[in-house]
Amino acid sequence: MTALTLISLGICVPAASADPVDPDPFGYKDLTSMFVTPFDRGAFGENADKSIILSPYGTSRTIECASFHGQGWCRQFDHLGNEHDLYLVKVPTGSTEWDYRGVYVYNPF
């Protein structure tokens, strides 16, 4: 009934449009913008919501992360193109398990 009323009034409802489908929803994504080094301006101020990266490359090289079923992992490539894992250390910032700031540590090996 409502559809007929809208049509009779000449009101057009736009068709729904979806976001493009990610071909690899569980694959690595560039999340470099979500990281700061401890020496970056605002790392403990306006950027306190970002994770900290402890790496010889800081944020100058791409930081990629992936996740699946609540588990996540990150990596960074060195200047020779070798992949290095970034290990997460959770620094508590509140009273629950989910209140923490992520500190990702570069594994040189």
Side-chain angles (χ1 to χ4, degrees), residues 29-73:
K29 307 288 185 262
D30 180 355
L31 295 181
T32 308
S33 66
M34 300 303 297
F35 289 84
V36 293
T37 72
F39 306 110
D40 288 347
R41 179 177 291 275
F44 298 97
E46 65 267 13
N47 290 323
D49 60 325
K50 296 183 178 186
S51 295
I52 293 177
I53 180 76
L54 300 178
S55 162
Y57 302 103
T59 56
S60 67
R61 300 198 61 84
T62 302
I63 300 168
E64 298 177 330
C65 299
S67 65
F68 184 71
H69 286 280
Q71 301 297 312
W73 49 94

Short mmCIF file of all heavy atoms in Angstrom, two decimals, residues 29-73:
data_model
loop_
_atom_site.label_atom_id
_atom_site.label_comp_id
_atom_site.label_asym_id
_atom_site.label_seq_id
_atom_site.Cartn_x
_atom_site.Cartn_y
_atom_site.Cartn_z
N LYS A 29 46.01 -5.68 4.99
CA LYS A 29 45.59 -4.34 4.59
C LYS A 29 46.62 -3.34 5.11
O LYS A 29 47.19 -3.52 6.18
CB LYS A 29 44.23 -3.98 5.20
CG LYS A 29 43.12 -4.98 4.96
CD LYS A 29 42.66 -4.96 3.53
CE LYS A 29 41.46 -5.87 3.31
NZ LYS A 29 41.77 -7.16 2.78
N ASP A 30 46.84 -2.28 4.36
CA ASP A 30 47.76 -1.23 4.77
C ASP A 30 47.12 -0.44 5.91
O ASP A 30 46.13 0.27 5.70
CB ASP A 30 48.07 -0.32 3.59
CG ASP A 30 49.02 0.82 3.94
OD1 ASP A 30 49.39 0.96 5.13
OD2 ASP A 30 49.40 1.56 3.02
N LEU A 31 47.67 -0.55 7.11
CA LEU A 31 47.16 0.16 8.27
C LEU A 31 48.20 1.11 8.85
O LEU A 31 48.13 1.48 10.03
CB LEU A 31 46.68 -0.83 9.34
CG LEU A 31 45.48 -1.69 8.96
CD1 LEU A 31 45.09 -2.60 10.10
CD2 LEU A 31 44.30 -0.83 8.55
N THR A 32 49.15 1.52 8.03
CA THR A 32 50.23 2.38 8.49
C THR A 32 49.70 3.64 9.18
O THR A 32 50.25 4.09 10.18
CB THR A 32 51.14 2.78 7.31
OG1 THR A 32 51.55 1.58 6.62
CG2 THR A 32 52.38 3.53 7.78
N SER A 33 48.60 4.17 8.68
CA SER A 33 48.05 5.40 9.25
C SER A 33 47.50 5.21 10.66
O SER A 33 47.21 6.20 11.35
CB SER A 33 46.95 5.96 8.34
OG SER A 33 45.85 5.07 8.30
N MET A 34 47.37 3.98 11.12
CA MET A 34 46.85 3.70 12.46
C MET A 34 47.98 3.54 13.48
O MET A 34 47.74 3.14 14.61
CB MET A 34 45.99 2.43 12.44
CG MET A 34 44.80 2.51 11.51
SD MET A 34 43.70 3.90 11.87
CE MET A 34 43.15 3.48 13.50
N PHE A 35 49.22 3.85 13.09
CA PHE A 35 50.39 3.69 13.94
C PHE A 35 51.15 5.00 14.11
O PHE A 35 51.15 5.85 13.21
CB PHE A 35 51.35 2.65 13.35
CG PHE A 35 50.84 1.24 13.43
CD1 PHE A 35 49.99 0.74 12.47
CD2 PHE A 35 51.23 0.42 14.48
CE1 PHE A 35 49.52 -0.58 12.55
CE2 PHE A 35 50.78 -0.89 14.56
CZ PHE A 35 49.92 -1.38 13.59
N VAL A 36 51.82 5.14 15.24
CA VAL A 36 52.75 6.24 15.50
C VAL A 36 53.96 5.66 16.20
O VAL A 36 53.88 4.60 16.82
CB VAL A 36 52.12 7.35 16.38
CG1 VAL A 36 51.02 8.08 15.67
CG2 VAL A 36 51.65 6.80 17.71
N THR A 37 55.08 6.36 16.10
CA THR A 37 56.24 5.97 16.90
C THR A 37 56.15 6.72 18.23
O THR A 37 55.45 7.74 18.32
CB THR A 37 57.58 6.32 16.20
OG1 THR A 37 57.75 7.73 16.24
CG2 THR A 37 57.62 5.80 14.78
N PRO A 38 56.85 6.26 19.26
CA PRO A 38 56.78 6.97 20.54
C PRO A 38 57.36 8.38 20.45
O PRO A 38 57.12 9.20 21.33
CB PRO A 38 57.58 6.11 21.50
CG PRO A 38 58.16 5.00 20.72
CD PRO A 38 57.63 5.05 19.33
N PHE A 39 58.12 8.68 19.39
CA PHE A 39 58.74 9.98 19.24
C PHE A 39 57.93 10.94 18.37
O PHE A 39 58.29 12.10 18.23
CB PHE A 39 60.15 9.83 18.66
CG PHE A 39 60.99 8.88 19.46
CD1 PHE A 39 61.34 7.64 18.95
CD2 PHE A 39 61.41 9.21 20.74
CE1 PHE A 39 62.10 6.74 19.69
CE2 PHE A 39 62.17 8.33 21.50
CZ PHE A 39 62.52 7.09 20.97
N ASP A 40 56.84 10.45 17.78
CA ASP A 40 55.99 11.31 16.95
C ASP A 40 55.28 12.35 17.80
O ASP A 40 54.87 12.06 18.93
CB ASP A 40 54.93 10.49 16.20
CG ASP A 40 55.50 9.66 15.07
OD1 ASP A 40 56.66 9.89 14.68
OD2 ASP A 40 54.78 8.77 14.57
N ARG A 41 55.13 13.52 17.25
CA ARG A 41 54.39 14.58 17.94
C ARG A 41 52.96 14.09 18.15
O ARG A 41 52.32 13.59 17.24
CB ARG A 41 54.39 15.84 17.10
CG ARG A 41 53.62 16.99 17.72
CD ARG A 41 53.72 18.24 16.87
NE ARG A 41 55.05 18.81 16.86
CZ ARG A 41 55.51 19.66 17.78
NH1 ARG A 41 54.75 20.01 18.77
NH2 ARG A 41 56.73 20.14 17.70
N GLY A 42 52.48 14.21 19.35
CA GLY A 42 51.11 13.81 19.66
C GLY A 42 50.91 12.33 19.93
O GLY A 42 49.78 11.88 20.09
N ALA A 43 52.00 11.56 19.97
CA ALA A 43 51.87 10.11 20.20
C ALA A 43 51.18 9.82 21.52
O ALA A 43 50.49 8.80 21.65
CB ALA A 43 53.24 9.44 20.16
N PHE A 44 51.33 10.70 22.49
CA PHE A 44 50.70 10.50 23.80
C PHE A 44 49.67 11.60 24.06
O PHE A 44 49.25 11.80 25.19
CB PHE A 44 51.76 10.45 24.90
CG PHE A 44 52.70 9.30 24.70
CD1 PHE A 44 53.92 9.48 24.08
CD2 PHE A 44 52.34 8.03 25.11
CE1 PHE A 44 54.78 8.41 23.87
CE2 PHE A 44 53.19 6.96 24.91
CZ PHE A 44 54.41 7.15 24.28
N GLY A 45 49.26 12.28 23.00
CA GLY A 45 48.26 13.34 23.08
C GLY A 45 47.13 13.05 22.12
O GLY A 45 46.38 12.09 22.29
N GLU A 46 47.07 13.85 21.06
CA GLU A 46 45.96 13.71 20.10
C GLU A 46 45.98 12.40 19.32
O GLU A 46 44.97 11.99 18.77
CB GLU A 46 45.88 14.89 19.14
CG GLU A 46 47.06 15.05 18.21
CD GLU A 46 48.15 15.97 18.73
OE1 GLU A 46 48.13 16.32 19.92
OE2 GLU A 46 49.02 16.33 17.93
N ASN A 47 47.12 11.72 19.27
CA ASN A 47 47.20 10.42 18.57
C ASN A 47 47.29 9.24 19.54
O ASN A 47 47.75 8.16 19.17
CB ASN A 47 48.40 10.41 17.62
CG ASN A 47 48.18 11.32 16.44
OD1 ASN A 47 47.08 11.44 15.93
ND2 ASN A 47 49.23 12.00 16.02
N ALA A 48 46.85 9.43 20.76
CA ALA A 48 46.91 8.37 21.77
C ALA A 48 46.00 7.19 21.43
O ALA A 48 46.14 6.12 22.01
CB ALA A 48 46.56 8.92 23.14
N ASP A 49 45.10 7.37 20.47
CA ASP A 49 44.22 6.27 20.06
C ASP A 49 44.89 5.36 19.04
O ASP A 49 44.38 4.29 18.74
CB ASP A 49 42.92 6.82 19.47
CG ASP A 49 43.15 7.71 18.25
OD1 ASP A 49 44.18 8.43 18.21
OD2 ASP A 49 42.31 7.68 17.34
N LYS A 50 46.05 5.75 18.53
CA LYS A 50 46.77 4.93 17.56
C LYS A 50 47.73 3.99 18.27
O LYS A 50 48.20 4.26 19.37
CB LYS A 50 47.55 5.82 16.59
CG LYS A 50 46.64 6.68 15.73
CD LYS A 50 47.44 7.49 14.74
CE LYS A 50 46.51 8.30 13.85
NZ LYS A 50 47.26 9.00 12.79
N SER A 51 48.02 2.87 17.62
CA SER A 51 49.00 1.92 18.16
C SER A 51 50.40 2.47 18.00
O SER A 51 50.68 3.25 17.09
CB SER A 51 48.89 0.58 17.43
OG SER A 51 47.64 -0.02 17.68
N ILE A 52 51.29 2.03 18.86
CA ILE A 52 52.69 2.45 18.80
C ILE A 52 53.49 1.37 18.08
O ILE A 52 53.30 0.18 18.32
CB ILE A 52 53.25 2.68 20.21
CG1 ILE A 52 52.57 3.90 20.84
CG2 ILE A 52 54.77 2.87 20.18
CD1 ILE A 52 52.99 4.17 22.26
N ILE A 53 54.38 1.79 17.21
CA ILE A 53 55.27 0.86 16.50
C ILE A 53 56.70 1.08 16.99
O ILE A 53 57.18 2.21 17.05
CB ILE A 53 55.18 1.04 14.95
CG1 ILE A 53 56.10 0.09 14.22
CG2 ILE A 53 55.47 2.46 14.53
CD1 ILE A 53 55.62 -1.31 14.16
N LEU A 54 57.33 -0.02 17.40
CA LEU A 54 58.75 0.00 17.77
C LEU A 54 59.49 -0.77 16.69
O LEU A 54 59.55 -2.00 16.70
CB LEU A 54 58.95 -0.64 19.14
CG LEU A 54 58.23 0.02 20.31
CD1 LEU A 54 58.48 -0.76 21.60
CD2 LEU A 54 58.66 1.47 20.46
N SER A 55 60.01 -0.05 15.73
CA SER A 55 60.63 -0.63 14.56
C SER A 55 61.73 0.30 14.07
O SER A 55 61.59 1.52 14.21
CB SER A 55 59.56 -0.80 13.46
OG SER A 55 60.15 -0.97 12.19
N PRO A 56 62.80 -0.24 13.48
CA PRO A 56 63.84 0.65 12.95
C PRO A 56 63.31 1.50 11.79
O PRO A 56 63.92 2.50 11.44
CB PRO A 56 64.94 -0.31 12.47
CG PRO A 56 64.31 -1.64 12.37
CD PRO A 56 63.15 -1.65 13.32
N TYR A 57 62.16 1.13 11.22
CA TYR A 57 61.58 1.87 10.10
C TYR A 57 60.44 2.78 10.52
O TYR A 57 59.96 3.57 9.71
CB TYR A 57 61.08 0.89 9.03
CG TYR A 57 62.19 -0.01 8.55
CD1 TYR A 57 62.28 -1.32 8.98
CD2 TYR A 57 63.17 0.47 7.69
CE1 TYR A 57 63.32 -2.13 8.56
CE2 TYR A 57 64.21 -0.33 7.27
CZ TYR A 57 64.28 -1.63 7.71
OH TYR A 57 65.32 -2.43 7.30
N GLY A 58 60.02 2.69 11.78
CA GLY A 58 58.91 3.52 12.23
C GLY A 58 57.71 3.34 11.32
O GLY A 58 57.32 2.21 11.00
N THR A 59 57.15 4.44 10.88
CA THR A 59 56.02 4.38 9.94
C THR A 59 56.45 4.73 8.52
O THR A 59 55.62 4.94 7.66
CB THR A 59 54.89 5.33 10.39
OG1 THR A 59 55.42 6.66 10.51
CG2 THR A 59 54.28 4.89 11.70
N SER A 60 57.77 4.76 8.29
CA SER A 60 58.27 5.11 6.95
C SER A 60 58.09 3.97 5.95
O SER A 60 58.14 4.18 4.75
CB SER A 60 59.73 5.53 7.00
OG SER A 60 60.55 4.43 7.36
N ARG A 61 57.91 2.76 6.45
CA ARG A 61 57.63 1.61 5.59
C ARG A 61 56.24 1.10 5.94
O ARG A 61 55.80 1.18 7.08
CB ARG A 61 58.68 0.52 5.77
CG ARG A 61 60.10 1.04 5.44
CD ARG A 61 61.09 -0.04 5.18
NE ARG A 61 60.77 -0.91 4.08
CZ ARG A 61 61.04 -0.67 2.79
NH1 ARG A 61 61.62 0.46 2.45
NH2 ARG A 61 60.75 -1.53 1.87
N THR A 62 55.55 0.57 4.96
CA THR A 62 54.17 0.13 5.13
C THR A 62 54.02 -0.91 6.24
O THR A 62 54.82 -1.82 6.35
CB THR A 62 53.65 -0.48 3.80
OG1 THR A 62 53.76 0.52 2.78
CG2 THR A 62 52.21 -0.91 3.92
N ILE A 63 52.98 -0.72 7.05
CA ILE A 63 52.62 -1.68 8.09
C ILE A 63 51.31 -2.31 7.65
O ILE A 63 50.32 -1.62 7.42
CB ILE A 63 52.45 -0.99 9.46
CG1 ILE A 63 53.77 -0.32 9.86
CG2 ILE A 63 51.97 -1.99 10.51
CD1 ILE A 63 53.64 0.62 11.04
N GLU A 64 51.33 -3.62 7.48
CA GLU A 64 50.15 -4.35 7.02
C GLU A 64 49.65 -5.26 8.14
O GLU A 64 50.45 -5.88 8.84
CB GLU A 64 50.48 -5.21 5.81
CG GLU A 64 50.94 -4.42 4.60
CD GLU A 64 51.33 -5.32 3.45
OE1 GLU A 64 51.78 -6.47 3.68
OE2 GLU A 64 51.19 -4.88 2.30
N CYS A 65 48.33 -5.33 8.28
CA CYS A 65 47.73 -6.19 9.29
C CYS A 65 46.59 -6.99 8.68
O CYS A 65 45.98 -6.56 7.69
CB CYS A 65 47.20 -5.37 10.46
SG CYS A 65 48.47 -4.42 11.33
N ALA A 66 46.30 -8.13 9.28
CA ALA A 66 45.20 -8.98 8.86
C ALA A 66 44.56 -9.55 10.11
O ALA A 66 45.18 -9.58 11.18
CB ALA A 66 45.70 -10.10 7.94
N SER A 67 43.33 -10.03 9.97
CA SER A 67 42.67 -10.65 11.12
C SER A 67 41.67 -11.67 10.64
O SER A 67 41.20 -11.62 9.50
CB SER A 67 41.98 -9.60 11.98
OG SER A 67 40.92 -9.00 11.26
N PHE A 68 41.36 -12.60 11.53
CA PHE A 68 40.38 -13.65 11.25
C PHE A 68 39.88 -14.19 12.57
O PHE A 68 40.68 -14.59 13.42
CB PHE A 68 41.01 -14.77 10.40
CG PHE A 68 40.05 -15.83 9.98
CD1 PHE A 68 39.09 -15.57 9.03
CD2 PHE A 68 40.11 -17.08 10.54
CE1 PHE A 68 38.20 -16.55 8.63
CE2 PHE A 68 39.22 -18.07 10.16
CZ PHE A 68 38.27 -17.81 9.21
N HIS A 69 38.59 -14.18 12.76
CA HIS A 69 37.95 -14.70 13.98
C HIS A 69 38.57 -14.14 15.26
O HIS A 69 38.89 -14.88 16.19
CB HIS A 69 37.99 -16.23 14.00
CG HIS A 69 37.01 -16.84 13.06
ND1 HIS A 69 35.68 -16.96 13.35
CD2 HIS A 69 37.16 -17.36 11.82
CE1 HIS A 69 35.06 -17.54 12.33
NE2 HIS A 69 35.93 -17.78 11.39
N GLY A 70 38.73 -12.83 15.31
CA GLY A 70 39.22 -12.19 16.53
C GLY A 70 40.72 -12.28 16.75
O GLY A 70 41.24 -11.75 17.72
N GLN A 71 41.43 -12.93 15.86
CA GLN A 71 42.88 -13.02 15.96
C GLN A 71 43.48 -12.10 14.89
O GLN A 71 43.00 -12.06 13.77
CB GLN A 71 43.37 -14.45 15.72
CG GLN A 71 42.81 -15.45 16.70
CD GLN A 71 43.25 -15.15 18.12
OE1 GLN A 71 44.42 -14.92 18.38
NE2 GLN A 71 42.30 -15.16 19.04
N GLY A 72 44.51 -11.37 15.25
CA GLY A 72 45.13 -10.47 14.30
C GLY A 72 46.63 -10.60 14.30
O GLY A 72 47.23 -11.08 15.26
N TRP A 73 47.24 -10.15 13.23
CA TRP A 73 48.69 -10.20 13.10
C TRP A 73 49.10 -9.09 12.15
O TRP A 73 48.34 -8.66 11.29
CB TRP A 73 49.17 -11.57 12.61
CG TRP A 73 48.44 -12.08 11.42
CD1 TRP A 73 48.79 -11.95 10.11
CD2 TRP A 73 47.20 -12.79 11.41
NE1 TRP A 73 47.86 -12.53 9.29
CE2 TRP A 73 46.86 -13.06 10.06
CE3 TRP A 73 46.32 -13.23 12.40
CZ2 TRP A 73 45.71 -13.73 9.68
CZ3 TRP A 73 45.16 -13.90 12.01
CH2 TRP A 73 44.88 -14.15 10.67
#
